[in-house]
Amino acid sequence: MRELTRTEAIDIVGRDEAESELPERLRADVRMLGALLGRVLRESGSPGLYEDVERLRVATIAAYTDESPEAFERAAAIAESFSVERAEEVARAFTVYFHLVNLAEEHQRVRVLRERDGRPEREDAADSVAAAFVRLAAEVGDDTALKRLQDMRFHPVFTAHPTEARRRAVSTSIRRLVTLLTEHDASLQGGAGERRAERRMLEEIDTLWRTAPLRAEKPTPVDEVRAIMAVFDETLYTAVPHVYRRVDDALQGPAAGGRAPVVRPFVRLGTWVGGDRDGNPFVTAAVTKKAAAIGAEHILLGLERSAVRIAKTLTLSDDTTPPNAELLALLQRLADADEDGAADAAKRAKVEPHKRAVLLIARRITATRKRDADLAYRDPDVLLADLQTVQRSLVEAGAPRQAYGHLQQLLWQVETFGFHLAELEVRQHSAVHAKVLAEAASGEPLSPQAEEVLEVFRTIAQIQHRYGPRAAGRYIVSFTTSARDLAAVHELARLAVGPSGTPPVLDVIPLFETFADLQAAPGIMAEIVEHPQFAARLEATGRRLEVMLGYSDSSKDVGPVAANLALYEAQAKIAAWAKDSGIQLTLFHGRGGALGRGGGPANSAILAQPPHSVDGRFKLTEQGEVIFARYGDPNIAMRHIDQVAAAVLLASAPSIETRNSAAAERYADVAATMDAASRERFFSLVKAPGFASWFATVTPMEEIGLLALGSRPARRGLSVESLEDLRAIPWVFAWSQARINLAGWFGLGSALEAVGDVELLRRAYAEWPLFRTVIDNVGMSLAKADGRIARRYLDLGDRSDLADLVVDELQLTGDWVVRIVGGDELLSNKPVLQRAVKMRSPYVDALSLLQLRALRTLRTGDHDDAELPHWQRLLLLSVSGVSAGLQNTG
């Protein structure tokens, strides 16, 4: 946020202080990739393009460094001087540059993780599961710590919320470049290998430049399902069991792999992709059934290939590794069921019984995938039992390393993924359920919408029958306002199957989203657990219960400060009620990637939660660009899972719970003051007459709806007359594009001003984890904002009162954050992040200036009809580029 404080800006060729502080290899990668892009631009066939890109680049760097109005105006004038066609080309060039910088930073992160891997003195060891276990054991004892580790759950749920601005073709090209950069590292000795690697990177960058950056049409829900499968195939299938292995290695030391692991699979995957129909009419029962089939195909194919690969390694003869009686009985059962397979296995492994068994198991997995009812496994538990039989036989035969090596990894994969890969969760709005029940009670023929709602329940039953109860069954009710909203789901399930049918097994999960609903949540839960179907399911699961909390709408409802405080209070009250009621609670956090939707580092957020609100179980949504950022690379995925799981394990440590409880009590008056002041300030903006239309004018909110990001519509109605009509994602996305990021911080400055005591607030920052998390997240949000560019967006609306309100709060919030954290500018306490932001900001400024020009032209109508598509395209290109530069959307 340049109007507050700023140091030297950064230049890609390394002529300033900030870039020189980057790691040498990262700096070399950025230079090389930038030089290759420059060559592509010079060879593009567009005369003067490279020179125009350089003119704007140099001008925005000078404006960022100088801070003078004259330097900024010179940069703006260059952006204004381009024809719309040339502006499109320049925007594309800066967007490709950001893709290259992003992949260079990711590659550097992977490089560092690989170098640290396995070293006990590595810098990131303090927030690993192994370190968390040691700290927890010191407080509660080894036995209790081990039980908590073995009972732990980390449950990420992938959603199709439209926040991934890149086309899949662009993402695929970037992944190829990552591979080439790795090969380049291996050939840095020079000579033909290095030249070949650079030539191939040049070719790929040229391909990236020539690839259309925008989707021509919105993806279908099935397209979204297939896109998520890429993360599983390329990362999660192997990364998750590798996390288990690394934790077990750390805890067992040299004995690991030679005896049974102490680690039990603690990751479970969920997905809303193909199941979330709240506000998305394109997600039908047929789509849900297709999504389940796609997930099953991928996991069964993976398990099949793993089993075949493991079988090939089990070349243990029966004289050195004799089978036990249990394995011989298994071989007989497998042979009786598959005579042809048994004959083939006998030829391939005549004196290798363990190999023979796993070969036949692989054939049964294949039969399961191909729906061969005679040979298919009934459910994952039967497969697990067969594999455990092989494992026990190996142990008894004196081959524990074979038992607990690759075979153990396959066992972990079956336990983690089942036959479904990720549990498919269904979500629907409470109002839709109420409408369908009213139709059914009327006795009139049901509408197509009602028939579709009932078909969903029949589909869930079919999925459970085909892939097992774990494959589907969690049913989220969005905008839950009463116990009646939850009971309605069980009524609809019975209605769907009729009096003679058996309804699916359902775990009905309330989603509390608005401020009022969060406050009412404990009372609603206390009422619903008395409902017969709900109570029966509660007993069947060992009194396990899930409650989902929505971060997005609560923040849009009362502002980010009041929403954070309300969410903490709701969690504390629900957790206390669950503890008193003997219920094993899992809180499901509906967090987005952006700070205005609950984003930010998950591990620090977990460690700031109220006592008993985690208790070894953490479930959250992972959305859009966050999925590929956290899980797109195996090394980064393993690191992320390790960090989050460590926080989940440590959150139940007595010292953490005592610290959080005491801090919340100690600073309760501060929280109350902040809540009231922030809400008043937030309402003064969003409840001002004409705010909704002003917001739509000063941001590219309307145009974001034209981006083919996802299958889900961006708004709940045909137009945005009030904030309630708008979904949370475009609310956050639009403010970030305008370089204001208002959804993540507005009201905090007034809240801190109302407290007024800087020493008190500094103590709160040191002692109160929730407050520290809020301040740190806001610091990051403000660092990505830009006061001068923001003012130009705000002035598009011809409402100086609202514009001044935003700018004043921006300045006030930044001032207070710097005073509390210390230093002389934002992110002074996070130098690595600060350097990354400074490296990008001048280049994001270039795209913002181009976007401003397009938005102004579209708002004023100062264009010919024939030019309209070009101006719209320029704006959408700049949206994609700014998203890449800021590394977040919604």
Side-chain angles (χ1 to χ4, degrees):
M1 193 176 60
R2 292 202 270 285
E3 291 193 343
L4 299 175
T5 52
R6 186 176 76 236
T7 61
E8 289 291 311
I10 203 159
D11 183 350
I12 190 173
V13 296
R15 291 177 295 202
D16 59 19
E17 176 187 349
E19 201 239 47
S20 67
E21 295 176 358
L22 294 174
E24 175 56 39
R25 285 184 292 182
L26 173 59
R27 188 162 65 248
D29 287 343
V30 172
R31 284 174 171 171
M32 176 187 66
L33 293 169
L36 293 174
L37 174 60
R39 183 172 173 183
V40 166
L41 296 179
R42 285 191 293 269
E43 296 174 355
S44 66
S46 180
L49 173 60
Y50 175 78
E51 289 74 19
D52 283 343
V53 170
E54 278 296 288
R55 277 200 302 136
L56 183 57
R57 184 183 72 85
V58 170
T60 52
I61 289 171
Y64 188 84
T65 306
D66 191 341
E67 293 191 7
S68 68
E70 294 78 16
F72 184 77
E73 290 300 333
R74 283 194 295 271
I78 293 172
E80 295 285 340
S81 70
F82 298 141
S83 67
V84 65
E85 293 82 6
R86 176 46 57 87
E88 283 186 34
E89 291 181 312
V90 173
R92 284 183 61 188
F94 277 98
T95 301
V96 172
Y97 166 74
F98 278 126
H99 290 322
L100 298 178
V101 171
N102 289 346
L103 80 87
E105 288 183 346
E106 179 183 298
H107 184 66
Q108 174 65 15
R109 188 177 173 199
V110 170
R111 185 188 280 143
V112 170
L113 288 174
R114 285 173 175 165
E115 290 173 354
R116 293 176 181 171
D117 189 28
R119 288 178 11 213
E121 73 279 7
R122 70 184 196 269
E123 294 175 24
D124 63 344
D127 55 356
S128 66
V129 172
F133 177 85
V134 171
R135 180 174 170 185
L136 181 63
E139 296 189 35
V140 301
D142 289 349
D143 292 343
T144 300
L146 182 59
K147 185 179 187 307
R148 291 186 184 180
L149 172 65
Q150 293 178 337
D151 291 342
M152 181 173 65
R153 282 286 180 272
F154 169 46
H155 195 151
V157 178
F158 294 164
T159 79
H161 287 63
T163 65
E164 171 59 89
R166 298 181 306 192
R167 284 185 64 205
R168 189 173 177 185
V170 171
S171 299
T172 301
S173 180
I174 291 169
R175 300 318 306 174
R176 290 196 297 265
L177 274 166
V178 169
T179 301
L180 292 172
L181 201 53
T182 302
E183 293 177 7
H184 181 264
D185 278 355
S187 63
L188 282 179
Q189 292 79 14
E194 184 177 358
R195 290 193 298 274
R196 181 170 60 251
E198 290 192 8
R199 176 185 57 76
R200 291 175 64 197
M201 280 191 284
L202 181 63
E203 178 186 349
E204 193 60 56
I205 292 171
D206 190 47
T207 298
L208 183 60
W209 164 252
R210 295 174 185 274
T211 298
L214 303 176
R215 297 181 181 96
E217 57 187 28
K218 284 181 174 289
T220 67
V222 174
D223 292 333
E224 292 168 335
V225 172
R226 296 194 186 281
I228 291 294
M229 288 302 108
V231 175
F232 167 73
D233 291 340
E234 297 168 13
T235 303
L236 288 175
Y237 182 67
T238 55
V240 171
H242 281 164
V243 172
Y244 303 153
R245 178 68 71 192
R246 288 166 62 171
V247 175
D248 198 63
D249 286 347
L251 295 181
Q252 297 216 73
R259 63 186 184 192
V262 298
V263 173
R264 294 176 185 166
F266 55 76
V267 175
R268 294 294 183 270
L269 297 183
T271 179
W272 284 10
V273 187
D276 180 12
R277 58 241 315 124
D278 177 16
N280 191 343
F282 306 111
V283 178
T284 62
V287 166
T288 299
K289 188 182 296 184
K290 180 72 171 177
I294 291 171
E297 171 74 15
H298 278 256
I299 181 56
L300 287 168
L301 189 58
L303 295 175
E304 174 189 334
R305 289 171 175 169
S306 293
V308 170
R309 186 170 60 251
I310 290 167
K312 291 178 179 178
T313 69
L314 290 176
T315 56
L316 315 176
S317 64
D318 54 11
D319 59 341
T320 64
T321 317
N324 65 7
E326 190 183 14
L327 184 74
L328 291 174
L330 173 61
L331 280 168
Q332 188 60 54
R333 290 197 304 273
L334 292 171
D336 290 345
D338 184 10
E339 293 180 2
D340 291 341
D344 179 66
K347 289 179 183 178
R348 296 172 60 184
K350 185 176 182 179
V351 297
E352 298 158 347
H354 297 91
K355 177 178 181 178
R356 198 156 66 244
V358 178
L359 284 171
L360 290 171
I361 288 170
R363 284 177 59 88
R364 288 200 67 183
I365 298 173
T366 303
T368 307
R369 180 172 61 84
K370 294 182 176 180
R371 306 195 68 174
D372 178 352
D374 292 335
L375 193 56
Y377 278 108
R378 183 180 71 252
D379 57 50
D381 290 339
V382 181
L383 168 59
L384 199 62
D386 284 356
L387 292 171
Q388 288 169 338
T389 296
V390 176
Q391 187 178 58
R392 283 192 294 271
S393 179
L394 287 166
V395 172
E396 289 181 25
R401 298 214 170 270
Q402 285 71 29
Y404 301 123
H406 292 298
L407 181 61
Q408 179 61 55
Q409 178 162 315
L410 179 57
L411 282 159
W412 279 333
Q413 287 166 323
V414 175
E415 290 180 88
T416 299
F417 303 119
F419 287 170
H420 55 279
L421 173 58
E423 180 174 346
L424 188 57
E425 301 187 354
V426 170
R427 182 174 73 139
Q428 184 56 281
H429 198 293
S430 60
V432 173
H433 295 152
K435 181 181 177 184
V436 175
L437 285 174
E439 283 189 35
S442 72
E444 297 295 322
L446 296 179
S447 66
Q449 183 191 37
E451 292 286 4
E452 172 62 28
V453 168
L454 296 181
E455 183 61 26
V456 170
F457 291 96
R458 293 187 280 268
T459 296
I460 293 172
Q462 293 166 7
I463 292 170
Q464 290 181 348
H465 178 73
R466 173 74 179 86
Y467 306 111
R470 278 181 54 201
R474 283 181 166 90
Y475 197 109
I476 293 99
V477 182
S478 57
F479 284 92
T480 295
T481 60
S482 69
R484 171 67 182 161
D485 291 335
L486 303 176
V489 177
H490 290 291
E491 292 182 49
L492 290 166
R494 291 195 303 276
L495 186 63
V497 299
S500 61
T502 302
V505 177
L506 293 174
D507 291 307
V508 182
I509 301 170
L511 169 51
F512 299 112
E513 301 183 75
T514 67
F515 178 75
D517 294 341
L518 287 170
Q519 289 188 311
I524 293 172
M525 297 312 301
E527 181 182 350
I528 193 59
V529 294
E530 302 299 326
H531 184 273
Q533 279 81 17
F534 219 92
R537 182 59 184 160
L538 196 61
E539 294 307 313
T541 60
R543 298 189 67 76
R544 291 181 173 87
L545 185 66
E546 277 189 29
V547 174
M548 185 173 182
L549 305 173
Y551 285 66
S552 305
D553 283 283
S554 58
S555 180
K556 186 163 65 72
D557 191 22
V558 294
V561 178
N564 269 287
L565 295 170
L567 283 159
Y568 185 93
E569 182 181 4
Q571 290 176 72
K573 289 182 176 179
I574 295 171
W577 164 80
K579 187 173 184 293
D580 292 342
S581 305
I583 287 172
Q584 190 178 109
L585 175 71
T586 297
L587 287 175
F588 181 7
H589 301 262
R591 294 160 52 98
L595 299 178
R597 299 186 57 240
N603 51 330
S604 59
I606 293 167
L607 292 172
Q609 299 304 306
H612 305 294
S613 63
V614 178
D615 270 354
R617 297 172 298 278
F618 187 69
K619 185 177 179 184
L620 81 165
T621 53
E622 301 278 32
Q623 305 176 4
E625 82 280 3
V626 171
I627 295 174
F628 295 94
R630 291 177 176 168
Y631 302 98
D633 178 90
N635 295 278
I636 292 175
M638 287 188 286
R639 173 65 178 139
H640 173 67
I641 294 169
D642 194 24
Q643 280 186 307
V644 174
V648 172
L649 184 62
L650 196 57
S652 61
S655 61
I656 299 295
E657 293 194 335
T658 300
R659 179 197 67 181
N660 292 356
S661 178
E665 184 176 346
R666 187 181 308 123
Y667 294 104
D669 290 343
V670 172
T673 300
M674 290 177 62
D675 175 67
S678 68
R679 201 180 321 184
E680 180 182 357
R681 186 68 158 175
F682 186 74
F683 289 162
S684 71
L685 176 68
V686 301
K687 294 184 182 297
F691 170 79
S693 59
W694 176 77
F695 164 65
T697 300
V698 302
T699 70
M701 187 273 292
E702 295 284 353
E703 288 75 13
I704 285 170
L706 301 175
L707 279 171
L709 294 182
S711 63
R712 192 176 186 226
R715 59 181 67 148
R716 293 189 170 96
L718 295 177
S719 62
V720 177
E721 301 297 333
S722 70
L723 210 55
E724 288 72 28
D725 298 324
L726 187 67
R727 295 195 184 280
I729 289 172
W731 163 254
V732 175
F733 199 167
W735 284 122
S736 70
Q737 287 290 316
R739 304 296 298 283
I740 302 170
N741 291 334
L742 179 144
W745 56 264
F746 192 88
L748 178 62
S750 294
L752 299 173
E753 184 79 8
V755 175
D757 186 336
V758 68
E759 292 305 320
L760 173 63
L761 292 170
R762 285 173 178 166
R763 287 199 303 275
Y765 182 73
E767 299 172 359
W768 184 15
L770 176 65
F771 183 74
R772 186 182 188 92
T773 299
V774 169
I775 294 295
D776 285 347
N777 285 345
V778 167
M780 179 165 59
S781 184
L782 293 176
K784 293 182 178 182
D786 182 282
R788 291 182 296 186
I789 289 176
R791 185 77 216 199
R792 294 200 171 206
Y793 277 95
L794 296 173
D795 287 344
L796 293 173
D798 196 25
R799 283 289 300 272
S800 59
D801 57 331
L802 298 182
D804 290 344
L805 186 62
V806 172
V807 171
D808 290 347
E809 187 69 15
L810 181 72
Q811 183 75 41
L812 182 65
T813 305
D815 287 344
W816 269 107
V817 169
V818 171
R819 289 172 69 190
I820 291 167
V821 174
D824 57 359
E825 60 181 335
L826 293 164
L827 299 181
S828 291
N829 61 331
K830 297 181 182 296
V832 175
L833 180 59
Q834 185 187 64
R835 287 195 298 268
V837 171
K838 289 181 177 181
M839 185 178 77
R840 294 162 178 276
S841 289
Y843 302 93
V844 180
D845 293 353
L847 284 162
S848 293
L849 289 172
L850 293 172
Q851 184 181 114
L852 262 168
R853 183 186 175 199
L855 191 61
R856 188 185 306 110
T857 301
L858 292 170
R859 293 290 181 268
T860 61
D862 186 19
H863 56 76
D864 298 333
D865 290 343
E867 290 182 326
L868 177 61
H870 291 284
W871 288 109
Q872 288 177 330
R873 179 173 170 79
L874 171 59
L875 191 138
L876 297 181
L877 284 169
S878 66
V879 166
S880 178
V882 170
S883 298
L886 297 176
Q887 290 189 300
N888 64 267
T889 53

